[in-house]
Amino acid sequence: MKPDLPALGIDVGGGSAKIGIVSPAGDVLGQDTVASDSAVFASVLLDRYLEAARHMQTLLGIKQLCGIGIGLPGHIDFAKGATRLGNVPALDEFPIVEYVSAKSGNKVYIENDATLAAVAEHRYGVGQGSNRFLTVALGTGIGVGFIENGKPVHTANGTMGDIGHVIVDPTGKRTCRQGCHGCLESVASALALEDRYQALRGNSDDKRLSSLFESARAGDLECGQIIQEAALFIGAALVTWMHIFAPDRIAFAGGVSAAGEDLLSPIRKTVTRLAMADYASRATILRAKLGSQAGLVGAAALCFPIQHNERVQP
Ligand SMILES: [Zn+2]
């Protein structure tokens, strides 16, 4: 493998996949989007991703890649090179690594998308130099990635388990997409906040998070209250994760993190109030900086050798 070659990153999402060619420095040299049509076979879908990548390579004049990284929104079976329980059912249980490797001739890596958000921020974003870096991806679902001494940690199912489903509201009536009661996803995911905002506005068509955040910033108390409540639940879940993983730095990514300090400030206060002082004092809480490109940049980063500054000793 030549370390100066770019890599292909594929960030598979429920609606579409982002495909990008990324340099070892983390620059996205070219990017495209392919619809994640679940009505087709896995092989057809993967062929479309590779076709888009080939087209991009031709446009950019890039003849060789150092590898292909694929981010998937579900459990990861590294032994089989497959995923399951993702939101692109066509890909479930399909031998993705074997197929893409045979089709492309490249070395292929897979990881869960929340893990990749952490990989990307650790290598190129706000996690650089951290020995115990936790990323919380607050999107349609809620995922957590943890990087310990430069390497992603997996606790179960090739991920951090279903850590976004930690129970924070045991007497609550809300359920999440997977059917558990009172988990963090049920009360603080983008879906949960959109539903609450839509109900507040009399079920209007506008359920965009950006409208909720703008209204809160403009002084709408009820919108501010929705964000405050979400921050309380997220803060409670975060304290649980801090007591298990003892991160020295924490980054919030995903659509809900666009609320910025309106969300992070009450999360920090909740952590100060609830956590053991030893854990709270060692961790800095920040907003991730790579935005919507984190998934594909993190996927590509799986192909690059670990850099010196990621081998920081504890
Ligand atoms: Zn749940």
Side-chain angles (χ1 to χ4, degrees):
M1 183 176 70
K2 294 179 186 172
D4 55 335
L5 289 175
L8 177 67
I10 302 176
D11 178 19
V12 178
S16 62
K18 291 193 194 81
I19 296 174
I21 294 180
V22 182
S23 77
D27 298 318
V28 178
L29 306 175
Q31 189 177 335
D32 200 357
T33 302
V34 176
S36 290
D37 179 359
S38 255
V40 301
F41 289 116
S43 56
V44 176
L45 205 49
L46 294 169
D47 285 348
R48 285 180 189 167
Y49 299 160
L50 292 175
E51 179 55 36
R54 269 192 294 273
H55 183 62
M56 211 179 328
Q57 274 184 257
T58 305
L59 285 178
L60 293 167
I62 292 171
K63 292 191 172 62
Q64 206 181 347
L65 299 167
C66 71
I68 299 176
I70 306 175
L72 297 153
H75 291 174
I76 303 294
D77 184 334
F78 291 106
K80 293 180 180 168
T83 185
R84 57 189 292 273
L85 292 180
N87 53 8
V88 186
L91 294 177
D92 269 8
E93 311 285 357
F94 187 82
I96 294 170
V97 170
E98 183 185 337
Y99 183 83
V100 175
S101 179
K103 276 272 178 169
S104 68
N106 282 112
K107 178 90 175 154
V108 178
Y109 305 84
I110 56 173
E111 280 279 5
N112 170 266
D113 53 4
T115 303
L116 292 183
V119 167
E121 288 294 332
H122 186 261
R123 187 168 289 212
Y124 305 114
V126 299
Q128 290 181 66
S130 165
N131 291 321
R132 305 183 65 79
F133 178 59
L134 191 86
T135 296
V136 184
L138 299 167
T140 307
I142 296 178
V144 174
F146 184 54
I147 309 291
E148 183 181 32
N149 295 327
K151 291 186 177 166
V153 172
H154 310 105
T155 58
N157 299 316
T159 64
M160 295 281 282
D162 282 287
I163 191 168
H165 296 268
V166 61
I167 305 300
V168 292
D169 188 17
T171 59
K173 293 191 169 47
R174 282 171 278 189
T175 57
C176 73
R177 296 174 298 167
Q178 311 297 340
C180 48
H181 293 257
C183 72
L184 185 63
E185 266 202 30
S186 74
V187 294
S189 65
L191 286 179
L193 296 195
E194 285 165 1
D195 285 349
R196 289 201 62 187
Y197 180 59
Q198 193 174 29
L200 178 69
R201 290 285 184 254
N203 289 315
S204 78
D205 288 339
D206 183 8
K207 56 189 289 186
R208 289 173 302 158
L209 284 182
S210 57
S211 301
L212 168 66
F213 300 154
E214 280 165 23
S215 298
R217 274 183 211 123
D220 185 310
L221 294 179
E222 288 172 305
C223 289
Q225 183 69 20
I226 291 174
I227 297 171
Q228 289 275 337
E229 283 182 25
L232 181 63
F233 287 127
I234 294 165
L238 179 60
V239 169
T240 300
W241 300 328
M242 288 168 73
H243 287 167
I244 297 170
F245 299 105
D248 57 33
R249 206 175 303 166
I250 297 153
F252 280 94
V256 176
S257 72
E261 283 302 308
D262 286 350
L263 186 79
L264 293 192
S265 177
I267 287 175
R268 289 191 196 99
K269 285 186 182 135
T270 302
V271 167
T272 302
R273 188 167 61 83
L274 300 181
M276 290 169 64
D278 186 43
Y279 291 85
S281 63
R282 76 176 71 172
T284 314
I285 298 173
L286 305 162
R287 186 174 166 196
K289 76 170 194 185
L290 296 178
S292 62
Q293 287 188 326
L296 74 87
V297 170
L302 296 174
C303 309
F304 304 134
I306 291 176
Q307 301 298 310
H308 177 71
N309 72 351
E310 291 166 286
R311 294 185 189 277
V312 183
Q313 293 304 309

